[in-house]
Amino acid sequence: VVLTQSPGTLSLSPGERATLSCRASQSFSSNYLAWYQQKPGQAPRLLISGASSRATGIPDRFSASGSGTDFTLTISRLEPEDFAVYYCQQYSFSPLTFGQGTKLEIK
Amino acid sequence: QVQLVQSGAEVKPPGASVTLSCKASEHTLTKYYVHWVRQAPGQGLEWMGMIDPSDAGTNYEQKFQGRVTFTRDTSTSSVYMQLRSLRSEDTAMYYCAVVPAGVRAAFDFWGQGTIVTVSS
């Protein structure tokens, strides 16, 4: 399953709303879709899995939605620490695959 | 929660092999599946495959079939990844990550990564 994320880069200001897209080449259950955040020099961190379940310690400004082939990660009000690269991942089918990432940068 | 500690940086010439380790803090590594993910400089995440430490069963991404081997040592709660016939494109950060055994789950726990540089 090929995952295509858009946009490649998103330039926003703190306090704004961010909407990141992940489109799949074939349909699968949103139960097997995850979103990760990665900052420079760090391992990815799980944000959301199983459609919309936030991982431990993830603030509620992060939410996810979608089904079938179209999935969305929303950050309701950007905080300075949210500027990073975001990846979607499907773990419904083998091989597991990741999107190419969306870089969220400060405008 | 499980913590994963990976081995140190490696520099290898083209054609060589490298073996990386990933050690879990918990004594019961068999409660998890261990996945390997790599990331070339400035690039995205690439899944390489996984091992079930309880029976050493593996699932390799087709791209790496024949060139990679995952093994485990349950006595030390460690898994190993050997990558052979290294080429420059294998220069990357290599991560291990675990999910609970027997379920399809996202990668909640990651190692810190091991940087592998392939250079003559």
Side-chain angles (χ1 to χ4, degrees):
Chain A
V1 178
V2 176
L3 299 177
T4 302
Q5 293 186 241
S6 61
T9 301
L10 185 57
S11 300
L12 294 170
S13 301
E16 291 192 292
R17 180 185 186 91
T19 303
L20 286 66
S21 173
C22 176
R23 177 163 291 179
S25 60
Q26 66 184 78
S27 178
F28 61 92
S29 170
S30 59
N31 290 335
Y32 305 114
L33 190 283
W35 290 92
Y36 299 86
Q37 177 193 69
Q38 188 179 33
K39 296 180 179 179
Q42 296 184 15
R45 177 174 73 149
L46 178 64
L47 295 175
I48 292 176
S49 64
S52 59
S53 298
R54 282 186 298 275
T56 302
I58 302 302
D60 61 7
R61 63 179 181 273
F62 291 90
S63 64
S65 62
S67 63
T69 61
D70 289 294
F71 305 93
T72 300
L73 174 70
T74 301
I75 310 172
S76 58
R77 286 182 57 85
L78 287 166
E79 298 287 343
E81 62 267 27
D82 297 337
F83 292 91
V85 180
Y86 292 83
Y87 295 95
C88 57
Q89 178 211 25
Q90 68 80 22
Y91 47 99
S92 180
F93 301 109
S94 181
L96 281 64
T97 51
F98 293 89
Q100 83 281 14
T102 290
K103 181 179 181 181
L104 180 55
E105 65 177 22
I106 299 176
K107 187 174 183 178
Chain B
Q1 63 184 32
V2 63
Q3 294 185 333
L4 304 173
V5 178
Q6 298 186 235
S7 50
E10 300 271 6
V11 179
K12 296 289 184 181
S17 298
V18 68
T19 299
L20 310 182
S21 67
C22 172
K23 182 176 174 60
S25 59
E26 295 190 3
H27 297 300
T28 51
L29 188 62
T30 53
K31 294 193 303 185
Y32 301 97
Y33 293 159
V34 181
H35 293 254
W36 289 89
V37 176
R38 77 176 186 179
Q39 185 172 37
Q43 302 301 307
L45 303 168
E46 180 176 33
W47 182 75
M48 299 181 69
M50 57 79 67
I51 182 169
D52 176 356
S54 68
D55 63 5
T58 55
N59 178 17
Y60 300 123
E61 213 289 343
Q62 187 173 9
K63 171 179 178 178
F64 300 101
Q65 283 275 4
R67 210 161 64 91
V68 71
T69 302
F70 302 152
T71 57
R72 94 306 192 202
D73 182 345
T74 54
S75 68
T76 60
S77 291
S78 296
V79 298
Y80 302 90
M81 183 200 71
Q82 183 189 59
L83 187 60
R84 301 177 290 278
S85 301
L86 291 168
R87 35 213 190 218
S88 59
E89 310 90 87
D90 295 317
T91 293
M93 182 71 81
Y94 289 77
Y95 296 101
C96 60
V98 297
V99 303
V103 299
R104 281 182 285 178
F107 301 166
D108 208 352
F109 303 106
W110 296 70
Q112 84 279 16
T114 297
I115 183 76
V116 174
T117 302
V118 181
S119 173
S120 54

